[in-house]
């Protein structure tokens, strides 16, 4: 009875095309939660190894370029800000502005990856990579750098995936498929991007500020 | 078509986003200066990371990801996931720390 | 997807006839209809069941004599048990019930037209097939697989077998499982028919709801663990490798964080199936509906917190071992609640011993044996003695084969008339069940005895004193396989040549029995009448 009233706004079976705004968001959130668990496993590993080798992790952190890490954090946060605002812009019917903001986010993503590449190649050139001579006989630092490459690497893959999804959103907006009325694709793409941002928020102190 | 229109959609203002962004930048700078300038002799380093990072994540989740405006279900889901990660950490630590 | 040329009443044709945009085989493998995807899963998981069963048959043959009846080289036996495990777990029992029966019946039982994301559903099946192909491709790599299905580090880091390929396959399979979970949760939250409240849902959807949460939250942990093994092998980083400072026990922690809850991914949907069959054949409302619902959720939660009971002899800390032992005992509580409720449902019921009911009753018996021996293994002192013996193998097969697979086979007998509109030969079904049940107990109960005698698992050769029980077990495996062949020949023949079954041959009261058999593409031609409560037999008989 009251159930019927509550469910009146639910999916209409009569319509050919089934659109469920809440459902689409729910699905995306569930996916993000599973991503949290994916990184959760890595955070468990990091915590256990750091508990075993506190000094080595601190020494490992001293080889990090903290300035680059902080700069990259600010880049990602700004990208998150831009893509969040793009939803507001689209909801208010300002498609051009929304597209510009998504474009900005994509650019921040690219900038992030460039900084990342500079950082990684710097470490490798200095000889900080698993199995390198510098790390021979230092199990704790081996672990620190192994986790560093794996966690930032996996995060990097997510950034690339995020750039792809945002590019798709941009194309769909240009073609009028993602509009003021049907913006859930952009909203979900933004949700994904924010998750990438959140993971980085935790990676920053774990690696760059570990000294 | 009519469907999405019937749902209540909360449009977040640019001002809110800007304030959140400013807070995030501020917290990042605070965190990095605490640990890079060794304020308090480095003892506050981990503590700062433990408090500030979740705070930043919460800002992103509640405002950028609109959790503040979503149904309770979404909050419960997130809480359950976080609790499970914490329990996983705790139970594994029970082995690693006391082995 | 609807056809381009709309028939007089769109979706009125049976899903078996309505092939959608494509025809022939493409009408199946590119269909987004949840019922067709359910059949895809059914065919592919059963195919792998038969592959896994053949490998198991060979393992039992090897055990006929102490020096190995088939191979004098243990490598082949190692490959057999590894493949048997990987195929049965990742390719059969994890996807089987949710993928086939879940896909087919869950939307119908909650009064929905399809799942929430039909295309994602199809993608899940394609990922399943891709993962299976990748995992099996690893056979043709550098060497025979020999790690067991658990891929324990550090051995998996240095064996010659093509581990990176295999673990990548498992990663893809996990992704498929996660997507199914996301799809089901969203479907149950958003697609229930008007009037179908949460606590009016039948118990199979409820069981799938609990399962889906485990799939979404536990599978990623396996995903990352497999990825780490992959990265360690390919890029030589050191995560679990003790030579590089790694801790192999952390591999076991991460692996079982998924793989123990995975046992509940296998058994929870099966428990849901039992909760469907028992009321129908006892012609009685289920006893303790709420208790069954909450025990499903309880199992899903508690089952995620007991993983380290697989590691009691690994050098785990005493404190952790004690806590995990305690948690293991706790998880028995919700499982027992379910068993009590099923037996209470039978009390004063009008029991019809149709083939599905026989499977349901055997489930209660076999699952109880499996569950109670699980408690024996969960006790720290006993575990030291029984760890890695046949006792563990027997316990596991009682739970997963005697539990999950018996429920699955029973549900196939229960729902086959609905899925294909045809009835199987009942005498053949009884004979198949009798052979299966006898052979099963002969095979696996003997394994309990062998385990207590001290026969370790995964050994290609053994001491002569174990030979008599080993032979008994092998004979049991033959009887069991004969039973399986009878069961499936009967079912497959009936799909094509069986007598027409009515829309409701068993007198069931859940929504799937309100619609024609086989169901039309749209499921419900008119909005379904939602019963006042789930399993309302009084109401059904009154009208």
């Amino acid at each position: 009875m009251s159930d019927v009233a509550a469910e009146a706004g639910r999916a209409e079976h009569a319509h050919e095309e089934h659109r469920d705004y809440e459902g689409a968001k729910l699905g995306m959130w569930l996916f993000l939660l599973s991503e949290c668990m994916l990184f959760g496993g890595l955070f468990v590993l990091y915590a256990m190894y750091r508990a075993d080798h506190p000094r080595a992790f601190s020494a490992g952190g001293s080889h990090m370029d903290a300035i680059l890490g902080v700069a990259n954090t600010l880049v990602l946060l700004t990208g998150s800000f831009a893509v969040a605002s793009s939803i507001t812009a689209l909801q208010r019917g300002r498609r051009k502005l929304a597209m510009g903001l998504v474009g900005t986010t994509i650019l921040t993503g690219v900038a992030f990856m460039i900084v990342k590449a500079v950082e990684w190649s710097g470490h490798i050139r200095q000889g900080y990579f698993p199995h390198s001579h510098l790390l021979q006989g230092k199990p704790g630092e081996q672990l620190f750098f192994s986790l560093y490459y794996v966690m930032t690497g996996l995060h990097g893959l997510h950034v690339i995936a995020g750039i792809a999804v945002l590019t798709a959103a941009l194309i769909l907006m240009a073609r009028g498929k993602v509009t003021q009325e049907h913006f859930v694709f952009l909203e979900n793409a933004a949700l994904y991007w924010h998750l990438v941002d959140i993971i980085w928020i935790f990676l920053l102190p774990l690696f760059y500020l570990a000294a | 078509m009519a469907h999405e229109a019937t749902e209540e959609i909360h449009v977040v203002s640019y001002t809110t986003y800007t304030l959140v962004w400013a807070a995030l930048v501020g917290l990042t700078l605070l965190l990095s200066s605490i640990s890079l300038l060794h304020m308090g002799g480095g003892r506050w380093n981990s503590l700062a990371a433990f408090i500030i990072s979740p705070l930043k994540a919460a800002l992103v989740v509640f405002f950028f990801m609109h959790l503040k405006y979503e149904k309770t279900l979404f909050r419960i889901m997130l809480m359950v996931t976080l609790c499970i990660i914490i329990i996983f950490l705790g139970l594994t630590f029970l082995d690693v720390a006391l082995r | 997807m609807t056809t381009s040329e709309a028939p007089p009443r769109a979706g009125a044709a049976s899903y078996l006839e309505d092939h959608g945009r494509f025809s022939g085989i493409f009408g199946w493998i590119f269909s987004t209809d949840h019922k067709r995807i359910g059949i895809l899963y059914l065919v592919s998981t059963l195919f792998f069941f038969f592959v896994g069963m053949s490998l198991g048959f060979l393992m039992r043959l090897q055990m006929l004599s102490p020096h190995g009846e088939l191979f004098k080289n243990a490598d082949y036996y190692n490959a057999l048990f590894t493949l048997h495990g990987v195929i049965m777990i990742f390719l059969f029992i994890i996807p089987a019930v949710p993928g086939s029966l879940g896909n087919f019946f869950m939307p119908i039982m909650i009064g929905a037209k399809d799942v929430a994301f039909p295309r994602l559903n199809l993608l899940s099946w394609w990922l399943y097939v891709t993962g299976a192909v990748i995992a099996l491709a690893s056979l043709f790599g550098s060497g025979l697989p020999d790690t067991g299905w658990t891929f324990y580090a550090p051995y998996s880091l240095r064996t010659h077998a093509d581990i990176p390929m295999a673990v990548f396959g498992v990663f893809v399979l996990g992704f498929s499982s996660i997507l199914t979970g996301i799809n089901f949760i969203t479907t149950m939250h958003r697609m229930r028919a008007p009037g179908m409240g949460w606590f009016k849902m039948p118990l199979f959807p409820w069981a799938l709801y609990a399962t889906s949460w485990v799939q979404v939250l536990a599978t990623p942990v396996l995903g990352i663990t497999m990825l780490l093994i992959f990265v360690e092998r390919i890029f030589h980083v050191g995560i679990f490798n003790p030579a590089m400072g790694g801790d192999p026990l952390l591999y076991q922690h991460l692996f079982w964080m998924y793989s123990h809850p995975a046992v509940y991914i296998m058994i929870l949907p099966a428990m849901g199936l039992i909760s469907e069959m028992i009321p129908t054949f006892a012609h009685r409302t289920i006893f303790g509906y709420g208790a069954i619902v909450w025990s499903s959720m309880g199992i899903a939660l508690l089952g995620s917190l007991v993983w380290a009971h697989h590691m009691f002899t690994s050098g785990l800390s005493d404190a952790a071992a004690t806590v995990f032992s305690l948690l293991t005992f706790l998880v028995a509580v919700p499982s027992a609640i379910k068993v009590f409720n099923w037996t209470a449902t039978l009390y004063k019921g009008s029991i019809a011993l149709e083939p599905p009911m026989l499977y349901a009753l055997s489930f209660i018996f076999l699952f109880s044996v499996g569950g109670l021996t699980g408690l024996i293994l969960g006790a720290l002192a006993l575990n030291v003695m029984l760890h890695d013996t046949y006792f563990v193998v027997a316990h596991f097969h009682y739970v997963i084969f005697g539990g999950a697979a018996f429920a699955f086979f029973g549900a196939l007998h229960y729902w086959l008339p609905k899925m294909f509109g045809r009835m199987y030969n009942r005498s053949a079904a009884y004979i198949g069940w009798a052979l299966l049940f006898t052979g099963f107990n002969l095979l696996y109960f003997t394994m309990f005895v062998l385990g207590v005698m001290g026969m370790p698992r995964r050994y290609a050769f053994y001491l002569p004193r174990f030979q008599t029980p080993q032979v008994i077990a092998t004979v049991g495996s033959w009887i069991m396989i004969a039973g399986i062949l009878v069961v499936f020949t009967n079912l497959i023949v009936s799909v094509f040549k069986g007598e027409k079954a009515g829309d409701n041959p068993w007198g069931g009261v859940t929504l799937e029995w309100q619609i024609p058999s086989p169901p039309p593409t749209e499921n419900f031609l008119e909005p379904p009448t939602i019963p006042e409560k789930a399993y309302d037999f009084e109401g059904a008989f009154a009208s």
Side-chain angles (χ1 to χ4, degrees), chain C residues 16-17 24 36 115 222 244 250 433 447 490:
Chain C
L16 290 170
E17 288 150 18
R36 288 201 157 211
V115 292
L222 177 78
M244 294 176 77
L250 282 177
W433 169 83
M447 282 198 172
N490 184 27

Side-chain angles (χ1 to χ4, degrees), chain B:
Chain B
M1 279 251 211
H3 184 55
E4 273 186 31
T6 54
E7 308 253 354
E8 202 175 311
I9 287 156
H10 195 283
V11 180
V12 186
S13 70
Y14 296 125
T15 326
T16 311
Y17 284 141
T18 314
L19 288 175
V20 171
W21 175 76
L24 286 168
V25 170
L27 285 172
T28 306
L29 295 177
L30 177 66
L31 172 65
S32 37
S33 44
I34 288 175
S35 60
L36 294 180
L37 304 177
H38 296 286
M39 283 160 102
R43 261 187 300 147
W44 301 107
N45 198 342
S46 320
L47 192 65
F50 263 116
I51 295 171
I52 294 180
S53 301
L55 196 62
K56 283 163 68 184
L59 281 174
V60 174
V61 170
F62 275 96
F63 294 97
F64 284 177
M65 297 174 81
H66 305 156
L67 190 66
K68 187 169 184 287
Y69 317 102
E70 296 287 3
K71 291 185 175 152
T72 327
L73 169 71
F74 288 70
R75 270 172 248 190
I76 297 173
M77 287 182 351
L78 183 65
M79 282 314 293
V80 169
T81 311
L82 292 181
C83 287
I84 286 181
I85 295 182
I86 290 167
I87 293 173
F88 278 9
L89 272 168
L91 285 177
T92 316
F93 196 65
L94 199 60
D95 169 31
V96 172
L98 302 173
R99 207 181 276 165

Side-chain angles (χ1 to χ4, degrees), chain A residues 34-84:
Chain A
S34 79
E35 289 273 19
C36 287
M37 295 304 297
L38 186 84
F39 278 94
L42 285 171
F43 285 124
V44 169
L45 273 182
Y46 179 94
M48 299 311 136
Y49 283 141
R50 185 164 181 171
D52 272 351
H53 309 275
R55 282 174 190 283
F57 270 54
S58 178
S62 65
H63 301 306
M64 292 284 139
D65 193 336
I67 302 297
L68 280 186
V70 174
N72 245 351
T73 310
L74 298 180
V75 167
L76 269 193
L77 288 175
T78 309
S80 257
F81 166 65
V83 77

